[in-house]
Amino acid sequence: MYDGYIRLSIQGLTRGKELADAFILILKAEDETGFIPILIDERGFNLVCNAMQKHDYTCSHMMNLLADRVNIPMTGVRILRPSGGKTMALVDFQMIDQLLSITVPIAEAVVAAVEKGLSIWIDRNAFERQAKLNSPSNESMALPITALSNELLEKALQGAVDEDNFELATILRDELNRREKSASNNEDDMSPTD
């Protein structure tokens, strides 16, 4: 079922140095070298921290309990590519001969996997792209720009301008503009027609 995926384990949690509002879940490949940072929000950071330290699975317990009651066991979690400042995950359940998946925020999916002692998976190509940016000898972590929230993008943009890093500032500004245009197009699609 998880062919083409890499199994990950939780390496730790941290906060950004330059962007203090950046909360990061660090996942390590179990059978390979390399790790990937996943940007999560403060609520997600607290959920994962409480699950790891206090065995508090409140955010996922009802879902897991319901799945167990109806005999649809959870089989694992697959991390999706970040988009629009959010990283989501698929929580997989096995129903007789078919796989059912629900999309949830990454932190809640990780807590569900920790509660059940199940694996966290990521597409091999996505892992390799991200892992090569994050070598163990490097003191900083690289996050995909699509993982940054608009607020973090704006703070990073201001930092890049303050440091006269205009190439980075241009990339960050373009991402903000793309998101604004995308949001505007989505609003237009939802507005009533005559």
Side-chain angles (χ1 to χ4, degrees), residues 39 81-87 143-155 171-187:
L39 194 63
R81 289 191 173 123
S83 177
K86 293 182 181 178
T87 301
L143 293 162
I145 195 169
T146 54
L148 298 175
S149 67
N150 288 355
E151 182 180 311
L152 287 175
L153 276 173
E154 289 168 2
K155 287 181 180 181
I171 292 168
L172 296 169
R173 184 205 62 218
D174 289 348
E175 176 65 14
L176 281 165
N177 289 340
R178 185 192 62 74
R179 288 184 188 181
E180 187 176 297
K181 184 177 179 184
S182 177
S184 175
N185 287 343
N186 287 342
E187 287 175 12

Side-chain angles (χ1 to χ4, degrees), residues 64-120:
N64 282 330
L65 186 62
L66 178 62
D68 290 344
R69 286 269 168 101
V70 295
N71 200 26
I72 304 175
M74 185 176 146
T75 59
V77 167
R78 291 178 286 156
I79 299 172
L80 299 172
R81 289 191 173 123
S83 177
K86 293 182 181 178
T87 301
M88 303 295 279
L90 294 172
V91 177
D92 297 326
F93 298 90
Q94 187 66 45
M95 186 172 134
I96 305 172
D97 60 349
Q98 116 185 43
L99 182 70
L100 299 174
S101 302
I102 60 170
T103 305
V104 300
I106 183 70
E108 293 173 23
V110 166
V111 170
V114 168
E115 178 184 11
K116 297 302 264 180
L118 297 173
S119 297
I120 302 165

Side-chain angles (χ1 to χ4, degrees), residues 4-6 81 122-132:
Y5 284 83
I6 291 179
R81 289 191 173 123
I122 189 166
D123 176 78
R124 178 174 295 282
N125 294 330
F127 175 81
E128 289 171 353
R129 264 194 317 276
Q130 186 65 27
K132 73 179 170 185

Side-chain angles (χ1 to χ4, degrees), residues 13-26 37-45 141 143 147-149 151-153 155-156:
L13 293 162
T14 190
R15 290 183 75 164
K17 273 187 186 177
E18 309 245 339
L19 297 172
D21 294 338
F23 298 89
I24 303 166
L25 170 65
I26 303 169
I38 305 286
L39 194 63
I40 56 179
D41 60 15
E42 185 174 9
R43 177 184 173 274
F45 181 90
M141 286 185 259
L143 293 162
L148 298 175
S149 67
E151 182 180 311
L152 287 175
L153 276 173
K155 287 181 180 181

Side-chain angles (χ1 to χ4, degrees), residues 126-142:
F127 175 81
E128 289 171 353
R129 264 194 317 276
Q130 186 65 27
K132 73 179 170 185
L133 299 173
N134 294 295
S135 69
S137 62
N138 195 350
E139 290 185 19
S140 62
M141 286 185 259

